[in-house]
Structure formats: C-alpha cells, structure tokens
Amino acid sequence: MSETMSIESYLADGGKLSAPGNAPPRYRAELLRLMASFVDSELAGAAGFADMINAGPGIKERIAASKIVLEKTDNADKVLQIMGEFGANTARYANHHPWSDRLPRDAELAAKRAKGDMRLAVFNYPLSGWSDAVTMNLLMGLAVDEQLKDLGKVSYQPLAETFRKIAPIEKRHAELALEGLEHLTKQGTPKSELQAAVDYWWPRVDQSFGAGKSARFERLKTWGLRHVENQKLRADWQAAAAAALNGLGLDVPQ
Amino acid sequence: MSRFQPLKVTAVQKTIRDAVVVTLEPENGDLEFIQGQYLTFRRDFEGEELRRSYSICAGLDDGKLQVGIKRVEGGAFSTWANEDLKAGDVVEAMPPMGNFHTDITPSEGKSYLGFAGGSGITPVLSILKTVLKREPLSTFTLVYANRGIATIMFREELEDLKNLYLGRFNVIHILESDAQDVELFQGLVTKDKCGELFKGWIDVAAVDVAFICGPEPMMLGIAEALREHGLKDDQVKFELFASGQPGRAKRKATSKSAASRDAMTTTRVTLDGASREFQMPKDGQTLLEAALEADVDAPFACKAGVCSTCRAKVLEGEVEMIANHALEDYEVAQGYVLTCQCYPLSDTLVVDYDQ
C-alpha cells in the first residue's frame, strides 16, 4: 500500500491523471500546448465558416453552416475550460487573437503556424465560396475524425472524456459536408469546380498531420499524450478521404 | 484565476490513528459540490503558501461538508491538520473541483464497482453514499484495501451503510498484513487478485461503472484487470492523489546579480533535463524567443501572457515580466514567470522549465 511509483513510470505504464495537481511541469506544458492547438484550430475553423453562412445556396445549407459554427465554437470552449483549470485565463484567451485572420489564398504551402496562435496551418488559408468551403469541411472533417481517435486516449482523463464527447459532433460535421457535396453534384455544380477545391485543400489538410517520427512524439508517447504515429493517422485519413471522393466521382490529387 | 472562500471548521474528529475527518461550514452562503469532488486548501507555512487538495467524503445527502485528511510522512499540511487544526478555526478553500463522478439516474438500476486503497476511500465514500441514496435500484460493491484492520478509515460507517442498504451494498476488505478468514482477502490488490475476485465474488460482467482511487501501482493493476474482463475506457474512472510537484517548493533563490547596464545576458535554460547556455540581448527579445532561437523546444501557445503554457521558474537572476494574465501571486512568489513576456534585467539568468 505504501509503494508508489514516479508519475513518469505510472504514465509509461498507461496510467491516467485525473486533476491538474497530478501533472508534473513538463507534462502540464505539453498538455496545454496540445489543448491550445485544438482550441485555436476550432476557433479559427469556426470563424472561417461563419462567413460561409450567408453563402449557403439554400436555407438547409445556412442552417448546416450555422450549426457547424456553433458546435465548433462550443467544442473549443469545452477544451478551453480544462486549460482554465491549469491556470489559463480563459476570458482573455477567447479574444487574444483574431480567429478570422487568414493569409492570402495563394500563400506558400508551409506547415508553420502563424505567430501567436496554435491553429493547424490549414486554418490559415481562406475559404473561397460555398463549394470550396464544403470540400474543405469534408477533407478536414475526416482528418479531425482520425486525430480525435488518438486524442480520445490521452492520459489526462478529463480531457480524454471531453474529446470522446466531441468526436461524434465533429463526425457529424464531416457527414454534413458529404451530404452537401452530394447535393451540389446533383444540382449540377461542375465537377471541375469541386475538383479544383479538392486539389487546393488536399495537400493543406495532408500537412496538418505533421512530420514523420520526431523526438517530441516519442516523449509525448511515454506520457500517454499521443498514441498513434503521424504517418498512420495520415494514411488512415488518406484512405477515408479517397473513398469519400471516389464515391462522389472526384479524384485524389497526384 | 483561483477564488478562495473562508470555511469555518465546526468539528475535527480523530478517527484512526493518523487521520482526521474535518467538518466545514461556508461562512457566506452555501457550498455546492458533486459527489467525488475535492477541495483545494491554502495556508502559509513559514512564509510560503502551500496548496493541498483533499477529497470530500460526505455524500450529497449528508447535510454537511466533510473532508478526510490522512497524515502523510513529512507532509506539512496533513501533519498540521492532524495535530493543530481544531473547531473554530477558519480555513480557505477553492470551490469544489474534479470529474470523479458519473451522472445520477434515479430510475435506473446500475451496478457500481469501487476500488479504494487507504485514504483513497474518501471520494469513493462520497460517491457510494450519494448513489445508494439517490439511485434506489442500484447496487455498489466496494473493494477496500488497507494495511491492517487498525488502518481502515470509516470502518464503522461502512458497516452502518451495509445495514442501511441491506443487499445493495457489499464491502470486501482486503488487508495486506492481517490474516483474514478468506485467504483471498489477504495481500495486495493486484491484477491477479482482481481476476480471482471476479471469479467468485464479483460479477464483473454486470458492472456499469468502476471507480478507482488508490496508489498508482494498484490503480494500474486494477485497470488492466477490468479491461481484460470487458470494461471499456469510458466505464472506468480514476482519481489520482499524487502530486506532480515536489512536496515543499524551494525558496526562490536570491538573485546573485542585480539589474545592470550590460547589453547582454548569459542565460541558461533547462528543459527535459538538458541545459543550454546562450547570450541574449537585454532588449528586443523575450526569454521564450531567445530560447527557441537557441534550439530549445520550449513550450508555448498564446504568446500573449494568457495561457501559462510557457511557464518556467527563474532560479537565478532577475527578469521583467511585461504582462501576466495567468499566473497567480503565489506562483510568482515562488519564482515562476511567463517566459513569453520576460526580458532579462541581470547579467546572468538561470531558468528551468522542468520545475
């Protein structure tokens, strides 16, 4: 009963932490970094999609876009509250960066994040009309689906539970995107227009899976903050995205 | 930011030899909690603020707020609580926190399984009392591990609960040292011991939710046993009492070099056990930026002084922190800074991200 083990060995053996007080300083920092990346991506994604509400071709589309904006913002808040338990100033965090900021559409393809926020680089690129938005939502939605499968296993239990609650909500957004594209195809949107959107977003979404093996990944793995390697997540996404595109009569870019 | 409220101590009950149950009353208004949550107290010990968390052991319907505090070897707070704390004292605590609970569903009959080791009984007791009262169709099995009979906290209360909820509440005491009538009930609660218990004593297939609170090796063993017997991740809840920080924070080092007019600062940064030394200008670059430039994989997120990801401890030297919207006074008093907001003032600087 008196035997204890170091938190590091406990985590390496698959142990879970349950409160901020359990977290050693480096674990805390990497956990905050991981959470900030999710929060910033959700807020940036929602901000970009907010512009699209008015671009929806019909009422149902406007409703779908509004629902996506509301739910992504709410998902960001769920994780932001946990950051708050670690000391982040949540009220100020929500506004510390203009989430709708974007680079030019033709800005260089780079995996670097913008200064001052942790959104995945894909969210630095602007949407260009309704079909473009729906296509991006499909490809990125399928990517988020894979990423949340990994994040749902994090060793910080309250965050794992939150990600598990968020996953079906995000999955529904990807389904709405697929339905949206099916509808656009039926309505006569030229395939070339949709394919151009696919060609633009595919490499940018692909990049959001990060580099191959890295020292940081190994460390995060021993702490239970990551479980599945970037390459595997990427491969799983590529397969799911290819299947979805082919079903719509669209091609995976070379 | 933390909000502390004063709580009056209305009773301190010495239970087993080195544990007390403290009854508390909020001075202003009510204090609402969820079963299984904990309170974080703060108190100055020799000029240094310490914060410690203790689980609420009362159920939602007990009509009172109680925490159980077991003395830890060399523990400043727990020793003080066991030796000096008395009725009439006022302590400061943050609002209750913690996710160690599941929703109460009065119309459902669920099968709960709880594992507690030593003082880990405190939140589990709160949960089982609440669940048995508010879900009349549910059952609760508690596996309670202790060194010996004399170290069992709440032994009588658990007996009373068994009689009160006849047939719905079962306790299996596992004792490390003392011999038991049933041989299986002696020893440590390990993965194998769980396997044996699941054979004849516990219907694990019927279990809806399991709560585990105890020492780390015990929790790992139980978790594995439950997983092997079909429980999913979201059916098992853990509460870990361990702290990620050392017991008593070291005093902030008195700076060896005061602010000076030299243009450069020699800075040493430690991250993940490795230290890197570099020169940085006193103006024009934050500590974080300089560290990143020197190839230190320093943590950061907002770079706005708001998220506290970039927090580190200054061990030597002086810095100026431009904005601080995240660190509390007591963290700053211990030497913590937000490195994304810091500019060096002294000629040498030693900063540690590992503390």
Side-chain angles (χ1 to χ4, degrees):
Chain A
M1 201 65 39
S2 53
E3 59 163 321
T4 51
M5 60 204 300
S6 75
I7 300 247
E8 280 73 20
S9 336
Y10 172 69
L11 289 170
D13 276 354
K16 308 267 186 257
L17 305 187
S18 56
N22 298 154
R26 288 293 298 126
Y27 179 96
R28 172 190 178 276
E30 293 305 324
L31 185 71
L32 276 168
R33 210 193 319 222
L34 185 155
M35 290 194 282
S37 176
F38 181 83
V39 171
D40 292 9
S41 297
E42 287 287 270
L43 290 177
F49 225 74
D51 293 336
M52 288 296 122
I53 295 174
N54 292 328
I59 300 260
K60 281 205 161 53
E61 286 83 355
R62 286 189 179 82
I63 290 175
S66 308
K67 178 178 150 82
I68 288 169
V69 170
L70 185 156
E71 289 174 349
K72 283 198 194 303
T73 309
D74 190 48
N75 290 343
D77 189 43
K78 290 184 174 91
V79 177
L80 183 58
Q81 292 310 311
I82 298 180
M83 288 179 70
E85 288 179 7
F86 280 89
N89 186 323
T90 56
R92 280 182 180 261
Y93 194 96
N95 296 318
H96 85 84
H97 197 87
W99 302 111
S100 52
D101 259 14
R102 294 293 189 271
L103 297 174
R105 180 129 170 136
D106 56 5
E108 202 189 299
L109 193 66
K112 281 213 197 92
R113 297 187 153 97
K115 275 191 183 185
D117 84 57
M118 295 287 286
R119 72 178 81 175
L120 294 171
V122 61
F123 293 107
N124 285 321
Y125 301 94
L127 299 170
S128 168
W130 179 257
S131 335
D132 187 64
V134 179
T135 308
M136 189 273 187
N137 189 18
L138 173 68
L139 293 177
M140 197 55 205
L142 292 171
V144 166
D145 193 33
E146 296 305 325
Q147 285 154 3
L148 285 175
K149 280 181 198 154
D150 186 34
L151 291 176
K153 300 188 190 118
V154 289
S155 50
Y156 189 66
Q157 183 180 253
L159 183 62
E161 286 170 4
T162 301
F163 278 138
R164 288 200 290 261
K165 284 202 188 93
I166 286 174
I169 299 171
E170 293 288 328
K171 200 181 176 80
R172 182 73 196 124
H173 296 174
E175 284 167 9
L176 285 171
L178 188 59
E179 287 168 24
L181 280 175
E182 283 165 355
H183 194 66
L184 284 170
T185 312
K186 273 206 197 90
Q187 295 224 297
T189 307
K191 275 240 159 21
S192 54
E193 190 181 313
L194 300 177
Q195 188 63 54
V198 170
D199 293 345
Y200 180 82
W201 288 110
W202 181 283
R204 287 163 177 79
V205 174
D206 187 288
Q207 225 173 34
S208 68
F209 287 96
K213 263 187 180 294
S214 65
R216 194 196 288 172
F217 177 85
E218 292 307 313
R219 189 166 305 116
L220 295 182
K221 196 165 173 195
T222 54
W223 288 338
L225 291 176
R226 288 288 308 274
H227 291 81
V228 184
E229 280 176 28
N230 293 338
Q231 295 294 54
K232 169 97 175 56
L233 292 175
R234 174 184 271 111
D236 289 345
W237 166 74
Q238 286 172 344
L245 291 177
N246 291 336
L248 292 162
L250 297 165
D251 301 315
V252 172
Q254 291 317 305
Chain B
M1 290 304 195
S2 306
R3 301 152 288 143
F4 281 84
Q5 70 182 112
L7 299 177
K8 188 150 92 159
V9 176
T10 55
V12 178
Q13 189 201 347
K14 293 202 185 316
T15 60
I16 56 175
R17 193 167 34 90
D18 52 0
V20 289
V21 174
V22 182
T23 310
L24 302 157
E25 226 173 64
E27 300 231 293
N28 322 306
D30 268 322
L31 192 142
E32 281 186 25
F33 65 95
I34 303 173
Q35 71 280 8
Q37 287 194 313
Y38 60 87
L39 292 173
T40 303
F41 299 92
R42 75 173 169 194
R43 186 185 160 78
D44 268 351
F45 287 89
E46 293 166 8
E48 192 188 327
E49 181 182 305
L50 293 187
R51 295 186 178 188
R52 294 292 181 267
S53 303
Y54 296 101
S55 293
I56 298 169
C57 52
L60 288 183
D61 302 294
D62 287 5
K64 57 192 169 192
L65 179 65
Q66 281 181 329
V67 293
I69 303 182
K70 188 164 178 178
R71 187 204 304 257
V72 167
E73 182 82 43
F77 203 103
S78 60
T79 303
W80 167 77
N82 272 267
E83 288 179 359
D84 296 323
L85 187 61
K86 58 193 184 304
D89 288 348
V90 174
V91 292
E92 287 190 306
M94 284 168 63
M97 273 179 71
N99 292 46
F100 194 50
H101 59 269
T102 51
D103 290 338
I104 298 286
T105 47
S107 56
E108 280 177 50
K110 295 194 286 235
S111 168
Y112 291 90
L113 180 54
F115 292 87
S119 58
I121 187 62
T122 40
V124 179
L125 184 62
S126 169
I127 292 167
L128 67 92
K129 284 199 276 191
T130 305
V131 149
L132 287 167
K133 173 85 185 174
R134 296 192 171 199
E135 287 184 9
L137 301 174
S138 292
T139 61
F140 201 107
T141 302
L142 170 68
V143 177
Y144 189 10
N146 279 286
R147 220 164 286 152
I149 288 190
T151 66
I152 301 178
M153 277 174 88
F154 304 110
R155 188 165 136 239
E156 276 177 32
E157 183 162 4
L158 289 169
E159 275 304 302
D160 292 342
L161 286 166
K162 261 175 67 183
N163 293 330
L164 179 60
Y165 294 108
L166 218 49
R168 293 173 55 209
F169 178 47
N170 186 26
V171 186
I172 299 174
H173 287 285
I174 309 281
L175 300 178
E176 197 182 336
S177 324
D178 298 352
Q180 295 264 66
D181 288 338
V182 178
E183 208 184 294
L184 182 60
F185 295 173
Q186 207 224 325
L188 293 174
V189 178
T190 57
K191 182 183 117 168
D192 290 338
K193 175 87 68 194
C194 286
E196 292 298 311
L197 289 168
F198 296 159
K199 274 192 193 136
W201 300 92
I202 297 172
D203 183 6
V204 68
V207 169
D208 294 295
V209 183
F211 291 96
I212 315 177
C213 184
E216 293 88 306
M218 181 181 126
M219 294 216 284
L220 288 175
I222 296 171
E224 219 185 308
L226 291 172
R227 241 190 322 265
E228 275 176 15
H229 283 82
L231 262 73
K232 304 269 183 309
D233 275 349
D234 54 10
Q235 289 176 279
V236 183
K237 301 218 58 151
F238 299 87
E239 181 77 312
L240 180 64
F241 277 178
S243 167
Q245 299 274 43
R248 286 285 279 272
K250 293 200 191 84
R251 284 197 178 283
K252 180 182 175 192
T254 45
S255 78
K256 293 201 177 96
S257 55
S260 93
R261 272 177 289 128
D262 276 6
M264 303 291 277
T265 297
T266 305
T267 304
R268 195 165 88 231
V269 174
T270 304
L271 182 89
D272 292 326
S275 292
R276 187 152 311 165
E277 200 169 280
F278 53 87
Q279 297 284 315
M280 68 176 285
K282 289 219 176 75
D283 283 314
Q285 205 181 33
T286 63
L287 187 45
L288 174 68
E289 281 163 350
L292 292 171
E293 232 172 67
D295 270 335
V296 177
D297 192 15
F300 67 91
C302 75
K303 287 190 178 168
V306 160
C307 73
S308 82
T309 305
C310 67
R311 187 187 77 176
K313 210 180 224 195
V314 173
L315 302 179
E316 238 180 77
E318 276 191 42
V319 298
E320 188 190 355
M321 195 161 47
I322 301 302
N324 170 21
H325 301 295
L327 294 181
E328 301 194 45
D329 291 344
Y330 92 112
E331 286 176 281
V332 175
Q334 285 175 38
Y336 285 107
V337 298
L338 301 175
T339 54
C340 74
Q341 299 294 311
C342 282
Y343 295 88
L345 292 173
S346 48
D347 289 341
T348 60
L349 194 55
V350 177
V351 175
D352 191 356
Y353 281 97
D354 289 351
Q355 287 192 43

